Amino acid sequence: MLGMIKNSLLSTVEAWPYRVLSKGEKEQLSYEERACEGGRFAAVEVSGKPFDEASKEGVLKLLKYVGGTNDKGVGMGMTAPVSITDGSLQQKVKVSLRIPSQFQANPPCPNDKSIKIEERQGMTIYSTQFGGYAKEVDYVNYAAKLKSALGSEAAYCKDFYFCNGYDPPMKPYGRRNEVWFVKE
């Protein structure tokens, strides 16, 4: 628990590596097209709970893992964003974060068996950013705005999108949240 708190408050946060391919603005919404690196991710699925509750539960489990609740007992540091996908049809929320760079080759095994280590390919995304303490309704709202701004010209996966938070809960101002659509 101490490692988790230290990670949240004192450590620097490693950002998921990406490069901006293009920027756009339409209907008063700014967005970017980005190429995001692949790598290993820690992921946990939470079923049968509302989005906001399931998200908090999943984030807490991942914070404990990167804070030292793993087979090596090592605090790894935090990465951002924490990504959440909502499989509404399956009533399942998947919370994930990219394993820090220095642990990519050999990540510690989670003590919590509900956490899985996944290998993911790089992806190109469309992203829009907003502030505040994000809830499900905010992500849904910004996803609708991004969909409208992209129009029918952009090809992206319509089955799901990523809800991303970059900041610890103790940060009251200047918060960063994003919605991502995966380009097809």
Side-chain angles (χ1 to χ4, degrees):
M1 186 67 148
L2 184 59
M4 178 183 75
I5 293 168
K6 183 178 145 220
N7 251 352
S8 296
L9 295 175
L10 304 176
S11 68
T12 58
V13 177
E14 179 183 320
W16 183 347
Y18 69 85
R19 87 189 141 82
V20 176
L21 303 175
S22 66
K23 294 183 178 192
E25 186 170 338
K26 191 173 180 184
E27 301 173 15
Q28 299 180 347
L29 185 82
S30 295
Y31 60 90
E32 295 179 338
E33 181 181 357
R34 300 179 188 160
C36 299
E37 284 187 15
R40 288 194 169 95
F41 291 75
V44 62
E45 290 185 350
V46 181
S47 299
K49 295 184 178 180
F51 178 89
D52 293 329
E53 186 181 335
S55 299
K56 286 179 188 172
E57 182 179 319
V59 167
L60 185 58
K61 287 181 177 202
L62 293 177
L63 286 176
K64 287 179 181 177
Y65 166 64
V66 298
T69 306
N70 53 60
D71 69 338
K72 295 178 184 171
V74 63
M76 294 184 274
M78 192 61 197
T79 61
V82 173
S83 294
I84 305 159
T85 53
D86 182 8
S88 295
L89 298 176
Q90 302 92 10
Q91 298 199 345
K92 190 178 359 179
V93 170
K94 186 176 198 174
V95 183
S96 61
L97 59 82
R98 192 172 191 276
I99 303 283
S101 296
Q102 71 184 76
F103 296 96
Q104 276 288 313
N106 188 21
C109 294
N111 290 351
D112 183 334
K113 300 302 175 204
S114 68
I115 298 173
K116 307 297 180 209
I117 305 300
E118 302 176 347
E119 180 78 31
R120 296 189 189 167
Q121 299 300 311
M123 62 183 172
T124 301
I125 56 129
Y126 296 105
S127 174
T128 192
Q129 184 176 325
F130 61 98
Y133 284 96
K135 301 280 187 207
E136 179 180 25
V137 65
D138 302 307
Y139 288 118
V140 170
N141 182 30
Y142 278 89
K145 289 179 180 182
L146 181 57
K147 179 181 178 179
S148 178
L150 292 173
S152 59
E153 297 165 18
Y156 59 89
C157 181
K158 311 242 184 335
D159 297 338
F160 71 95
Y161 56 89
F162 287 93
C163 307
N164 301 287
Y166 284 79
D167 303 301
M170 296 72 64
K171 183 179 179 183
Y173 303 106
R175 297 182 63 79
R176 178 180 173 189
N177 309 290
E178 294 179 343
V179 170
W180 293 356
F181 292 163
V182 178
K183 186 174 179 178
E184 291 183 326

